[in-house]
Amino acid sequence: MNVECCPYCEQPATIEIPANPGHVCLDHALEFWTGLLAYVKESADQCEKEVRPCTCRACVALDASYERAKAIAAAGPPPQETELVPVRRAS
């Protein structure tokens, strides 16, 4: 059986990562994934949706739902006492 070595440290390559070279040791695999997740977290703050909002039906419905919830929250709680208004019957 031919065991590949990590190109960075010459330890046995035990894990494959989506990079070139792809077969690396556990330590370098953790370093790769930690760096990738840090990059994604940093770039998540710069959401493309803020620049160009999505116009698909799901996003439009979600935006409308969010706006309704915001309006209800701004209006405050309903009144505690309701005023009854008599309704005239049609003759």
Side-chain angles (χ1 to χ4, degrees):
M1 180 173 158
N2 187 9
V3 177
E4 285 189 50
C5 291
C6 179
Y8 301 106
C9 66
E10 299 300 320
Q11 295 293 320
T14 57
I15 298 179
E16 185 174 354
I17 59 173
N20 189 11
H23 288 65
V24 295
C25 67
L26 177 63
D27 291 335
H28 285 103
L30 289 173
E31 182 181 336
F32 171 81
W33 289 112
T34 303
L36 180 64
L37 291 174
Y39 170 77
V40 169
K41 185 177 179 183
E42 288 174 11
S43 64
D45 294 336
Q46 302 166 1
C47 181
E48 185 177 319
K49 196 170 185 182
E50 293 174 3
V51 176
R52 185 174 21 127
C54 181
T55 58
C56 76
R57 285 184 178 180
C59 288
V60 169
L62 186 61
D63 286 344
S65 176
Y66 175 71
E67 291 300 323
R68 279 193 299 274
K70 228 169 50 171
I72 291 169
Q80 296 298 320
E81 295 182 26
T82 57
E83 180 182 341
L84 297 176
V85 178
V87 177
R88 289 191 289 172
R89 292 185 183 176
S91 306

